[in-house]
Amino acid sequence: MPDLYENYRIFISSPGDVAAERQFAEEVINRINRSCSEVLKISVSSQKWEHLPPESPHLPEEKLQDLINKEVEKSHFFVLILFKRYGRKEPGHLKSNTERELETILKRYETNPQIRILAYFRDIPHNPDPGDQETAVLELRNNLEKLGIRYRNYKLPEEFKEEFTHDMYNVVLRMRLSPFKKQALHRFFKMGESNRPTYPRIAILFPSVSRQFMYPQKDKIWLKRLEPNIYFEDYKALHKIKKLLSFSGFHSYKTFLYTDQPSELDFMNRVWMCFPRSRTAIKYLDKVGETRRFHFDFRKEIASTLYWKQPDGSNYAINSPLSLYLAEQRKKMQVTGEHSGDLRRILAKDYAVIARFPDIESANITDEGYLYDYFFAGIRGLGTWGAAWFLDRKSKTLISYPDQDSLQILLEVTYQDGNVTDVKDVSNKTEQYFQEQSNVEYIRKQITQYKEREP
């Protein structure tokens, strides 16, 4: 099997008066590819506005901004290099490409401050009468400081090359080796060990698809299968959890079907996937008592309602808006026959829960501390997928939660064009918020805005 390489895209934003720095930046990126690609299994590529195919010179501002947005949003790094100029404005346009690129990345930074922005400013000689371009550059420095974005000053292009080389090696190594992510996941995955050693130490339990939902429904169906059917969304979640456990250094785990639980389950740490579909999982969850903030009814066929408790003790029901999103967008699609790519080009939302609880009763069978139960479930399958996505893609946010034995998070999952694109913590949202999210008119408005963004 060929090695899998991680590809990192770097967007370089710079006007014409730093041409030497741009050339040095490309040389550094090429050197990283040569020296690190085989060892770290990475590929690093640079992207600049002039690399893009030519477009009409008379594109409206909105269309030009959309093109830049797409390129910047695909990037893992944003590199800004400025001297005296803020960018040249094309005839008929109000902004330079550099301005548009900066607006795009800073808007992303407001909602996701973990985006990697590397900013460099060549020292500007004292000028008692700076023009508009120099003034804009100086104002940008102040804005970056206010946003908490660090930048470097340098005197000559050769000094930039040295600084950029150091910074790029540092950030690529950190991204690939992810020490901070490892730290965040170690903080999340608290694992006890029983005084009766077991293999595995961690049991991951998940449901298969009931045979009544499979086709053809014949008694000999298992003669032709190695494994039972599993919903795609559940599989995505299961795969991510296994990957994250291995990445964190926890290798003593094994997956089990809910219909085939290990006899020593009480002596293991347990990860319950789609737990409302398991009476055993609900039994373990009931041990938590009144401290738990959520409740699902056991479900066999139909998605159950999620009940969420606020700090003041009030409870409210949260229903998944997924069916409404599907109905609104697919009623004009061809939904019979084989699945097609068109069916994936939709917007959808769901809700999910991630929780961790210590098994207090396990203190009797551990030398120190407790065994732990982890619960992952969406109201629908999209939510389950999104819960694992959150743990993987937004693991650094776990550091912001109190380092306590118990953890409960309510998540809102957004899906677009075949992928989970965002998951956010909505644990403290009001009941009115969730009612609005399930309102048909609100959903139609969200779909309209999504369609308007399509190319």
Side-chain angles (χ1 to χ4, degrees):
M1 179 182 293
D3 292 319
L4 296 178
Y5 281 67
E6 193 79 26
N7 181 45
Y8 298 127
R9 295 169 60 96
I10 303 172
F11 193 96
I12 302 175
S13 178
S14 59
D17 63 342
V18 287
E21 287 91 327
R22 284 192 294 179
Q23 181 61 36
F24 283 144
E26 299 229 20
E27 290 177 8
V28 170
I29 291 167
N30 290 335
R31 187 187 309 157
I32 288 175
N33 262 330
R34 290 194 301 270
S35 60
C36 297
S37 61
E38 284 301 316
V39 176
L40 298 178
K41 305 302 179 190
I42 63 169
S43 172
V44 185
S45 59
S46 63
Q47 183 74 345
K48 295 185 293 188
W49 181 246
E50 53 264 41
H51 288 170
L52 301 179
E55 297 284 351
S56 168
H58 303 294
L59 283 176
E61 289 281 338
E62 297 79 9
K63 182 62 175 177
L64 193 56
Q65 185 66 57
D66 286 343
L67 291 171
I68 291 176
N69 288 352
K70 289 176 183 176
E71 290 304 318
V72 173
E73 288 173 359
K74 284 189 229 173
S75 301
H76 300 87
F77 306 104
F78 184 90
V79 176
L80 172 66
I81 313 169
L82 290 178
F83 182 29
K84 294 182 179 181
R85 299 191 58 79
Y86 203 55
R88 182 172 64 88
K89 298 176 183 177
E90 298 293 338
H93 290 287
L94 301 175
K95 301 176 184 177
S96 69
N97 288 337
T98 304
E99 287 181 89
R100 294 189 184 91
E101 292 157 6
L102 276 167
E103 286 182 0
T104 300
I105 197 64
L106 293 179
K107 186 175 181 180
R108 286 184 64 197
Y109 184 82
E110 288 177 3
T111 57
N112 184 6
Q114 296 172 351
I115 290 172
R116 292 165 176 82
I117 300 176
L118 304 180
Y120 302 86
F121 292 88
R122 194 199 297 184
D123 289 343
I124 301 176
H126 177 68
N127 184 355
D129 186 24
D132 293 342
Q133 293 270 320
E134 283 190 34
T135 301
V137 171
L138 294 172
E139 288 178 354
L140 175 62
R141 293 191 194 194
N142 294 331
N143 290 337
L144 294 183
E145 288 179 352
K146 291 176 183 178
L147 290 170
I149 300 174
R150 297 176 61 187
Y151 60 84
R152 291 190 186 275
N153 294 317
Y154 66 94
K155 298 182 184 304
L156 298 171
E158 290 74 15
E159 184 181 344
F160 162 81
K161 182 179 181 180
E162 183 178 341
E163 296 285 1
F164 185 68
T165 301
H166 173 273
D167 293 342
M168 279 305 304
Y169 273 104
N170 183 286
V171 77
V172 166
L173 284 168
R174 285 184 172 275
M175 279 192 75
R176 194 56 171 158
L177 302 177
S178 302
F180 191 77
K181 181 175 182 177
K182 209 170 270 190
Q183 177 188 349
L185 290 171
H186 266 287
R187 191 176 180 190
F188 176 78
F189 285 119
K190 298 176 183 288
M191 298 294 175
E193 187 163 4
S194 71
N195 52 25
R196 173 179 165 182
T198 63
Y199 179 81
R201 281 182 59 198
I202 307 166
I204 305 173
L205 301 107
F206 69 97
S208 60
V209 178
S210 173
R211 195 178 66 165
Q212 65 179 309
F213 302 115
M214 296 166 61
Y215 180 84
Q217 298 178 29
K218 296 181 180 178
D219 289 338
K220 296 181 180 180
I221 190 170
W222 303 121
L223 285 175
K224 297 182 180 181
R225 297 193 63 83
L226 289 172
E227 295 284 345
N229 275 11
I230 178 171
Y231 291 111
F232 175 81
E233 295 90 337
D234 293 356
Y235 170 78
K236 294 286 285 188
L238 183 64
H239 176 74
K240 282 187 178 294
I241 295 299
K242 292 166 66 176
K243 182 188 80 170
L244 293 173
L245 284 169
S246 295
F247 177 79
S248 304
F250 297 109
H251 299 289
S252 180
Y253 63 80
K254 187 176 179 181
T255 56
F256 299 90
L257 289 168
Y258 279 143
T259 55
D260 186 27
Q261 297 165 15
S263 58
E264 295 188 314
L265 188 61
D266 286 341
F267 297 88
M268 300 174 182
N269 301 280
R270 298 162 291 264
V271 178
W272 305 94
M273 306 298 299
C274 314
F275 62 85
R277 290 157 63 189
S278 167
R279 295 190 186 280
T280 305
I282 292 175
K283 182 189 75 172
Y284 275 88
L285 183 57
D286 286 341
K287 292 182 182 182
V288 176
E290 294 301 315
T291 60
R292 102 177 185 222
R293 296 184 63 182
F294 60 92
H295 173 74
F296 282 93
D297 293 324
F298 172 76
R299 71 171 183 249
K300 197 167 184 179
E301 300 177 18
I302 303 172
S304 60
T305 300
L306 165 61
Y307 300 91
W308 184 253
K309 182 165 65 175
Q310 288 287 59
D312 63 5
S314 60
N315 284 275
Y316 52 76
I318 301 173
N319 294 302
S320 173
L322 178 60
S323 293
L324 292 173
Y325 275 97
L326 294 176
E328 286 295 319
Q329 294 167 93
R330 289 183 172 169
K331 58 188 176 184
K332 296 181 180 180
M333 293 183 180
Q334 175 57 259
V335 296
T336 58
E338 297 294 336
H339 195 284
S340 69
D342 288 340
L343 294 173
R344 303 174 75 225
R345 287 189 279 273
I346 61 168
L347 170 71
K349 287 190 177 182
D350 194 15
Y351 293 95
V353 164
I354 291 179
R356 176 189 67 220
F357 298 109
D359 182 355
I360 304 300
E361 296 176 4
S362 69
N364 300 321
I365 58 171
T366 56
D367 294 326
E368 184 178 344
Y370 306 106
L371 299 174
Y372 284 83
D373 286 287
Y374 295 83
F375 297 91
F376 294 83
I379 303 178
R380 298 282 299 272
L382 172 59
T384 306
W385 178 7
W389 187 97
F390 176 83
L391 203 61
D392 181 20
R393 299 289 293 275
K394 294 196 172 182
S395 56
K396 292 181 181 179
T397 62
L398 297 171
I399 297 293
S400 64
Y401 294 100
D403 190 16
Q404 301 170 344
D405 283 338
S406 297
L407 178 66
Q408 304 176 69
I409 310 172
L410 176 62
L411 300 171
E412 181 179 278
V413 181
T414 301
Y415 166 103
Q416 289 183 25
D417 302 325
N419 293 291
V420 172
T421 55
D422 190 33
V423 180
K424 62 182 181 180
D425 184 343
V426 289
S427 302
N428 296 319
K429 295 292 186 181
T430 64
E431 183 176 11
Q432 182 180 356
Y433 172 84
F434 296 102
Q435 290 174 347
E436 181 186 56
Q437 294 295 312
S438 294
N439 179 275
V440 175
E441 293 305 317
Y442 174 83
I443 289 173
R444 287 172 180 164
K445 182 179 178 181
Q446 296 298 303
I447 293 170
T448 299
Q449 292 175 354
Y450 160 70
K451 294 293 184 184
E452 289 174 349
R453 291 196 297 267
E454 289 185 332

